[in-house]
């Protein structure tokens, strides 16, 4: 059946505190006119960067959820996975992609595993090898620099040059995805700018969007970035425009939050900036790299 409103299956956790995963994915994509159908991988009291969080892993419940969805004969315009609570969930995500496959469906995999050179608490290293397999089924992947290094078995270093990033993008795209976006790439001199760099296999083009770096670390910005990027692509934008919109949205969120004396673990104040998703990109800053 045709979806008058585009329909997206969102396979992420639901964390009560900290604006990560479904609490970012749902408002962002809904604001962009996309229907989000959540398939929660886990329910947590907060994200895992707070001490003493409580986590309920939903691995054993996912197949019955999917069975019901299959009976409903749903057609998804996109499947978008993020934080998986166990390595065993990778196989389940692969099953969902195969079960709901239709021509024209976009598969977005954000291989959420870590940031700033370390892996998130409560995730095992067995997730890494499983995630290396999952990205083969994706059209779009959005690892941050830490996750890109894990996927390629490379060492994480903040002092990475652009040529190496381009080589990593090519190597990741050779595994399957037609679009690879690496986020949180520090630009030298240190702490001046941060950028996202992307490769599009069809056009063989590399794109870069930079923004000014502010010295604060907000959990969930990766989830918000990939959600805004996915929404933009589903709305029909080109990759560089989608990158621009997503970077501008996150920069705006960081700026809206940074001036307040606020617990950074709560993430960016999404509620204040959701309306920006309606704005056109008026001064795009994307660059085409040689
Ligand atoms: O934003 C990534 C993320 C998603 N889900 C959970 C997390 C984190 C990062 O800390 O803990 C549960």
């Amino acid at each position: 059946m045709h979806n008058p409103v585009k329909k997206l299956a969102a396979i992420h956790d639901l964390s009560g505190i900290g604006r990560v995963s479904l609490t970012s994915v749902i408002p962002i994509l809904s604001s962009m006119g996309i229907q989000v159908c959540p398939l929660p991988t886990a329910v947590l009291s907060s994200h895992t960067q707070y001490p003493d969080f409580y986590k309920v892993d939903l691995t054993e419940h996912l197949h019955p959820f999917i069975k019901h969805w299959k009976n409903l004969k749903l057609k998804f315009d996109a499947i978008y996975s993020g934080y998986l609570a166990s390595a065993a969930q990778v196989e389940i995500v692969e099953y969902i992609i195969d079960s709901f496959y239709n021509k024209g469906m976009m598969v977005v995999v954000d291989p959420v595993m870590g940031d700033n050179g370390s892996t998130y608490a409560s995730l095992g290293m067995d997730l890494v090898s499983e995630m290396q397999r999952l990205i083969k089924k994706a059209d779009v992947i959005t690892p941050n620099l830490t996750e890109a290094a894990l996927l390629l078995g490379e060492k994480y270093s903040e002092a990475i040059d652009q040529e190496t990033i381009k080589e990593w993008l090519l190597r990741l795209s050779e595994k399957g995805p037609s679009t690879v976006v690496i986020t949180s790439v520090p630009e030298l001199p240190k702490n001046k700018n941060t950028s996202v760099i992307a490769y599009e296999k069809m056009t063989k083009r590399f794109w870069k969007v930079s923004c000014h770096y502010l010295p604060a670390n907000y959990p969930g910005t990766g989830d918000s970035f990939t959600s805004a990027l996915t929404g933009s692509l589903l709305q029909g934008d080109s990759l560089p425009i989608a990158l621009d919109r997503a970077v501008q949205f996150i920069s705006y969120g960081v700026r809206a939050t940074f001036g307040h004396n606020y617990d950074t673990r709560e993430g960016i104040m999404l509620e204040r900036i959701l309306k920006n998703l309606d704005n056109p990109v008026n001064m795009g800053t994307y660059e085409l790299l040689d």
Side-chain angles (χ1 to χ4, degrees), residues 172-197:
L172 286 168
S173 81
E174 278 159 13
K175 293 176 190 288
S178 48
T179 299
V180 180
V181 183
I182 301 185
T183 64
S184 307
V185 181
E187 279 189 44
L188 305 170
K190 200 171 177 301
N191 287 355
K192 273 274 186 239
N193 278 313
T194 175
S195 56
V196 301
I197 305 186

PDB file of all heavy atoms in Angstrom, residues 172-197:
ATOM      1  N   LEU A 172      34.916   1.852   3.708  1.00  0.00           N
ATOM      2  CA  LEU A 172      33.599   1.532   4.289  1.00  0.00           C
ATOM      3  C   LEU A 172      32.559   1.354   3.179  1.00  0.00           C
ATOM      4  O   LEU A 172      31.718   0.457   3.242  1.00  0.00           O
ATOM      5  CB  LEU A 172      33.166   2.623   5.280  1.00  0.00           C
ATOM      6  CG  LEU A 172      33.913   2.612   6.621  1.00  0.00           C
ATOM      7  CD1 LEU A 172      33.644   3.888   7.421  1.00  0.00           C
ATOM      8  CD2 LEU A 172      33.527   1.388   7.458  1.00  0.00           C
ATOM      9  N   SER A 173      32.626   2.180   2.147  1.00  0.00           N
ATOM     10  CA  SER A 173      31.630   2.075   1.077  1.00  0.00           C
ATOM     11  C   SER A 173      31.831   0.780   0.291  1.00  0.00           C
ATOM     12  O   SER A 173      30.869   0.204  -0.220  1.00  0.00           O
ATOM     13  CB  SER A 173      31.669   3.294   0.163  1.00  0.00           C
ATOM     14  OG  SER A 173      32.702   3.172  -0.766  1.00  0.00           O
ATOM     15  N   GLU A 174      33.085   0.304   0.205  1.00  0.00           N
ATOM     16  CA  GLU A 174      33.334  -0.969  -0.497  1.00  0.00           C
ATOM     17  C   GLU A 174      32.641  -2.146   0.193  1.00  0.00           C
ATOM     18  O   GLU A 174      32.393  -3.177  -0.403  1.00  0.00           O
ATOM     19  CB  GLU A 174      34.843  -1.245  -0.576  1.00  0.00           C
ATOM     20  CG  GLU A 174      35.509  -0.497  -1.733  1.00  0.00           C
ATOM     21  CD  GLU A 174      37.011  -0.337  -1.548  1.00  0.00           C
ATOM     22  OE1 GLU A 174      37.584  -1.010  -0.662  1.00  0.00           O
ATOM     23  OE2 GLU A 174      37.596   0.492  -2.276  1.00  0.00           O
ATOM     24  N   LYS A 175      32.310  -1.973   1.462  1.00  0.00           N
ATOM     25  CA  LYS A 175      31.619  -3.058   2.183  1.00  0.00           C
ATOM     26  C   LYS A 175      30.141  -3.131   1.810  1.00  0.00           C
ATOM     27  O   LYS A 175      29.458  -4.072   2.175  1.00  0.00           O
ATOM     28  CB  LYS A 175      31.771  -2.861   3.698  1.00  0.00           C
ATOM     29  CG  LYS A 175      33.211  -3.039   4.174  1.00  0.00           C
ATOM     30  CD  LYS A 175      33.341  -2.752   5.665  1.00  0.00           C
ATOM     31  CE  LYS A 175      34.786  -2.673   6.117  1.00  0.00           C
ATOM     32  NZ  LYS A 175      35.463  -3.970   6.142  1.00  0.00           N
ATOM     33  N   GLY A 176      29.607  -2.088   1.162  1.00  0.00           N
ATOM     34  CA  GLY A 176      28.206  -2.143   0.739  1.00  0.00           C
ATOM     35  C   GLY A 176      27.459  -0.823   0.661  1.00  0.00           C
ATOM     36  O   GLY A 176      26.801  -0.554  -0.335  1.00  0.00           O
ATOM     37  N   PRO A 177      27.516   0.007   1.703  1.00  0.00           N
ATOM     38  CA  PRO A 177      26.667   1.202   1.691  1.00  0.00           C
ATOM     39  C   PRO A 177      26.999   2.166   0.542  1.00  0.00           C
ATOM     40  O   PRO A 177      28.169   2.371   0.230  1.00  0.00           O
ATOM     41  CB  PRO A 177      26.951   1.885   3.035  1.00  0.00           C
ATOM     42  CG  PRO A 177      27.907   1.046   3.756  1.00  0.00           C
ATOM     43  CD  PRO A 177      28.326  -0.102   2.917  1.00  0.00           C
ATOM     44  N   SER A 178      25.948   2.746  -0.055  1.00  0.00           N
ATOM     45  CA  SER A 178      26.197   3.675  -1.162  1.00  0.00           C
ATOM     46  C   SER A 178      26.557   5.065  -0.648  1.00  0.00           C
ATOM     47  O   SER A 178      27.127   5.865  -1.385  1.00  0.00           O
ATOM     48  CB  SER A 178      24.977   3.740  -2.082  1.00  0.00           C
ATOM     49  OG  SER A 178      23.811   3.907  -1.318  1.00  0.00           O
ATOM     50  N   THR A 179      26.200   5.342   0.601  1.00  0.00           N
ATOM     51  CA  THR A 179      26.556   6.634   1.196  1.00  0.00           C
ATOM     52  C   THR A 179      27.179   6.391   2.558  1.00  0.00           C
ATOM     53  O   THR A 179      26.586   5.709   3.406  1.00  0.00           O
ATOM     54  CB  THR A 179      25.296   7.514   1.348  1.00  0.00           C
ATOM     55  OG1 THR A 179      24.740   7.735   0.047  1.00  0.00           O
ATOM     56  CG2 THR A 179      25.611   8.849   1.992  1.00  0.00           C
ATOM     57  N   VAL A 180      28.361   6.942   2.747  1.00  0.00           N
ATOM     58  CA  VAL A 180      29.041   6.812   4.046  1.00  0.00           C
ATOM     59  C   VAL A 180      29.321   8.212   4.573  1.00  0.00           C
ATOM     60  O   VAL A 180      29.870   9.058   3.863  1.00  0.00           O
ATOM     61  CB  VAL A 180      30.378   6.040   3.909  1.00  0.00           C
ATOM     62  CG1 VAL A 180      31.060   5.910   5.263  1.00  0.00           C
ATOM     63  CG2 VAL A 180      30.158   4.661   3.299  1.00  0.00           C
ATOM     64  N   VAL A 181      28.908   8.446   5.812  1.00  0.00           N
ATOM     65  CA  VAL A 181      29.118   9.759   6.435  1.00  0.00           C
ATOM     66  C   VAL A 181      29.899   9.540   7.730  1.00  0.00           C
ATOM     67  O   VAL A 181      29.454   8.770   8.588  1.00  0.00           O
ATOM     68  CB  VAL A 181      27.759  10.426   6.790  1.00  0.00           C
ATOM     69  CG1 VAL A 181      27.980  11.815   7.380  1.00  0.00           C
ATOM     70  CG2 VAL A 181      26.841  10.494   5.579  1.00  0.00           C
ATOM     71  N   ILE A 182      31.063  10.154   7.847  1.00  0.00           N
ATOM     72  CA  ILE A 182      31.802  10.080   9.120  1.00  0.00           C
ATOM     73  C   ILE A 182      31.634  11.417   9.831  1.00  0.00           C
ATOM     74  O   ILE A 182      31.901  12.487   9.265  1.00  0.00           O
ATOM     75  CB  ILE A 182      33.298   9.735   8.910  1.00  0.00           C
ATOM     76  CG1 ILE A 182      33.441   8.378   8.195  1.00  0.00           C
ATOM     77  CG2 ILE A 182      34.031   9.696  10.256  1.00  0.00           C
ATOM     78  CD1 ILE A 182      34.875   7.881   8.036  1.00  0.00           C
ATOM     79  N   THR A 183      31.152  11.337  11.076  1.00  0.00           N
ATOM     80  CA  THR A 183      30.886  12.555  11.849  1.00  0.00           C
ATOM     81  C   THR A 183      31.970  12.762  12.906  1.00  0.00           C
ATOM     82  O   THR A 183      32.812  11.889  13.126  1.00  0.00           O
ATOM     83  CB  THR A 183      29.514  12.465  12.555  1.00  0.00           C
ATOM     84  OG1 THR A 183      29.562  11.391  13.516  1.00  0.00           O
ATOM     85  CG2 THR A 183      28.381  12.187  11.579  1.00  0.00           C
ATOM     86  N   SER A 184      31.918  13.914  13.547  1.00  0.00           N
ATOM     87  CA  SER A 184      32.850  14.264  14.644  1.00  0.00           C
ATOM     88  C   SER A 184      34.311  14.163  14.215  1.00  0.00           C
ATOM     89  O   SER A 184      35.140  13.613  14.937  1.00  0.00           O
ATOM     90  CB  SER A 184      32.661  13.355  15.865  1.00  0.00           C
ATOM     91  OG  SER A 184      31.341  13.333  16.286  1.00  0.00           O
ATOM     92  N   VAL A 185      34.604  14.672  13.025  1.00  0.00           N
ATOM     93  CA  VAL A 185      35.999  14.678  12.576  1.00  0.00           C
ATOM     94  C   VAL A 185      36.629  15.990  13.028  1.00  0.00           C
ATOM     95  O   VAL A 185      36.220  17.063  12.569  1.00  0.00           O
ATOM     96  CB  VAL A 185      36.096  14.558  11.032  1.00  0.00           C
ATOM     97  CG1 VAL A 185      37.561  14.538  10.595  1.00  0.00           C
ATOM     98  CG2 VAL A 185      35.358  13.326  10.533  1.00  0.00           C
ATOM     99  N   PRO A 186      37.611  15.929  13.961  1.00  0.00           N
ATOM    100  CA  PRO A 186      38.220  17.184  14.413  1.00  0.00           C
ATOM    101  C   PRO A 186      39.069  17.784  13.296  1.00  0.00           C
ATOM    102  O   PRO A 186      39.684  17.045  12.529  1.00  0.00           O
ATOM    103  CB  PRO A 186      39.120  16.759  15.582  1.00  0.00           C
ATOM    104  CG  PRO A 186      38.887  15.313  15.793  1.00  0.00           C
ATOM    105  CD  PRO A 186      38.233  14.758  14.567  1.00  0.00           C
ATOM    106  N   GLU A 187      39.042  19.091  13.185  1.00  0.00           N
ATOM    107  CA  GLU A 187      39.893  19.727  12.177  1.00  0.00           C
ATOM    108  C   GLU A 187      41.038  20.386  12.877  1.00  0.00           C
ATOM    109  O   GLU A 187      40.889  20.962  13.941  1.00  0.00           O
ATOM    110  CB  GLU A 187      39.088  20.780  11.412  1.00  0.00           C
ATOM    111  CG  GLU A 187      38.244  20.172  10.327  1.00  0.00           C
ATOM    112  CD  GLU A 187      37.630  21.225   9.436  1.00  0.00           C
ATOM    113  OE1 GLU A 187      38.311  22.183   9.041  1.00  0.00           O
ATOM    114  OE2 GLU A 187      36.424  21.089   9.169  1.00  0.00           O
ATOM    115  N   LEU A 188      42.190  20.321  12.266  1.00  0.00           N
ATOM    116  CA  LEU A 188      43.354  20.964  12.863  1.00  0.00           C
ATOM    117  C   LEU A 188      43.356  22.427  12.405  1.00  0.00           C
ATOM    118  O   LEU A 188      42.909  22.702  11.308  1.00  0.00           O
ATOM    119  CB  LEU A 188      44.632  20.234  12.438  1.00  0.00           C
ATOM    120  CG  LEU A 188      44.584  18.717  12.762  1.00  0.00           C
ATOM    121  CD1 LEU A 188      45.761  17.999  12.117  1.00  0.00           C
ATOM    122  CD2 LEU A 188      44.577  18.472  14.269  1.00  0.00           C
ATOM    123  N   PRO A 189      43.787  23.440  13.164  1.00  0.00           N
ATOM    124  CA  PRO A 189      44.287  23.317  14.528  1.00  0.00           C
ATOM    125  C   PRO A 189      43.189  22.858  15.481  1.00  0.00           C
ATOM    126  O   PRO A 189      42.026  23.189  15.293  1.00  0.00           O
ATOM    127  CB  PRO A 189      44.750  24.729  14.855  1.00  0.00           C
ATOM    128  CG  PRO A 189      43.956  25.612  13.971  1.00  0.00           C
ATOM    129  CD  PRO A 189      43.701  24.843  12.727  1.00  0.00           C
ATOM    130  N   LYS A 190      43.600  22.140  16.486  1.00  0.00           N
ATOM    131  CA  LYS A 190      42.689  21.459  17.379  1.00  0.00           C
ATOM    132  C   LYS A 190      41.630  22.407  17.981  1.00  0.00           C
ATOM    133  O   LYS A 190      41.926  23.537  18.334  1.00  0.00           O
ATOM    134  CB  LYS A 190      43.505  20.812  18.503  1.00  0.00           C
ATOM    135  CG  LYS A 190      42.786  19.702  19.216  1.00  0.00           C
ATOM    136  CD  LYS A 190      43.738  18.980  20.161  1.00  0.00           C
ATOM    137  CE  LYS A 190      43.042  17.909  20.938  1.00  0.00           C
ATOM    138  NZ  LYS A 190      41.946  18.331  21.747  1.00  0.00           N
ATOM    139  N   ASN A 191      40.413  21.867  18.051  1.00  0.00           N
ATOM    140  CA  ASN A 191      39.311  22.548  18.733  1.00  0.00           C
ATOM    141  C   ASN A 191      38.816  23.831  18.082  1.00  0.00           C
ATOM    142  O   ASN A 191      38.171  24.642  18.724  1.00  0.00           O
ATOM    143  CB  ASN A 191      39.657  22.829  20.202  1.00  0.00           C
ATOM    144  CG  ASN A 191      39.622  21.542  20.997  1.00  0.00           C
ATOM    145  OD1 ASN A 191      39.253  20.503  20.452  1.00  0.00           O
ATOM    146  ND2 ASN A 191      39.997  21.610  22.247  1.00  0.00           N
ATOM    147  N   LYS A 192      39.124  24.032  16.806  1.00  0.00           N
ATOM    148  CA  LYS A 192      38.581  25.213  16.130  1.00  0.00           C
ATOM    149  C   LYS A 192      37.288  24.834  15.401  1.00  0.00           C
ATOM    150  O   LYS A 192      36.282  25.492  15.534  1.00  0.00           O
ATOM    151  CB  LYS A 192      39.599  25.749  15.114  1.00  0.00           C
ATOM    152  CG  LYS A 192      40.580  26.719  15.745  1.00  0.00           C
ATOM    153  CD  LYS A 192      39.984  28.110  15.746  1.00  0.00           C
ATOM    154  CE  LYS A 192      40.992  29.120  16.244  1.00  0.00           C
ATOM    155  NZ  LYS A 192      40.537  29.857  17.423  1.00  0.00           N
ATOM    156  N   ASN A 193      37.384  23.757  14.634  1.00  0.00           N
ATOM    157  CA  ASN A 193      36.243  23.307  13.847  1.00  0.00           C
ATOM    158  C   ASN A 193      36.085  21.800  13.948  1.00  0.00           C
ATOM    159  O   ASN A 193      37.040  21.080  14.210  1.00  0.00           O
ATOM    160  CB  ASN A 193      36.469  23.636  12.371  1.00  0.00           C
ATOM    161  CG  ASN A 193      36.112  25.064  12.064  1.00  0.00           C
ATOM    162  OD1 ASN A 193      35.062  25.552  12.457  1.00  0.00           O
ATOM    163  ND2 ASN A 193      36.999  25.743  11.376  1.00  0.00           N
ATOM    164  N   THR A 194      34.853  21.365  13.710  1.00  0.00           N
ATOM    165  CA  THR A 194      34.626  19.928  13.613  1.00  0.00           C
ATOM    166  C   THR A 194      33.828  19.720  12.323  1.00  0.00           C
ATOM    167  O   THR A 194      33.100  20.616  11.901  1.00  0.00           O
ATOM    168  CB  THR A 194      33.898  19.400  14.869  1.00  0.00           C
ATOM    169  OG1 THR A 194      33.589  18.046  14.682  1.00  0.00           O
ATOM    170  CG2 THR A 194      32.639  20.154  15.177  1.00  0.00           C
ATOM    171  N   SER A 195      33.999  18.593  11.677  1.00  0.00           N
ATOM    172  CA  SER A 195      33.300  18.450  10.406  1.00  0.00           C
ATOM    173  C   SER A 195      32.708  17.059  10.216  1.00  0.00           C
ATOM    174  O   SER A 195      33.055  16.113  10.931  1.00  0.00           O
ATOM    175  CB  SER A 195      34.241  18.779   9.240  1.00  0.00           C
ATOM    176  OG  SER A 195      35.367  17.972   9.295  1.00  0.00           O
ATOM    177  N   VAL A 196      31.790  16.982   9.264  1.00  0.00           N
ATOM    178  CA  VAL A 196      31.335  15.683   8.787  1.00  0.00           C
ATOM    179  C   VAL A 196      31.820  15.561   7.349  1.00  0.00           C
ATOM    180  O   VAL A 196      31.790  16.531   6.594  1.00  0.00           O
ATOM    181  CB  VAL A 196      29.798  15.501   8.865  1.00  0.00           C
ATOM    182  CG1 VAL A 196      29.288  15.647  10.269  1.00  0.00           C
ATOM    183  CG2 VAL A 196      29.064  16.429   7.947  1.00  0.00           C
ATOM    184  N   ILE A 197      32.312  14.384   7.006  1.00  0.00           N
ATOM    185  CA  ILE A 197      32.834  14.155   5.664  1.00  0.00           C
ATOM    186  C   ILE A 197      32.119  12.923   5.104  1.00  0.00           C
ATOM    187  O   ILE A 197      31.938  11.928   5.823  1.00  0.00           O
ATOM    188  CB  ILE A 197      34.367  13.975   5.685  1.00  0.00           C
ATOM    189  CG1 ILE A 197      35.008  15.188   6.382  1.00  0.00           C
ATOM    190  CG2 ILE A 197      34.909  13.820   4.273  1.00  0.00           C
ATOM    191  CD1 ILE A 197      36.517  15.224   6.366  1.00  0.00           C
TER     192      ILE A 197
END
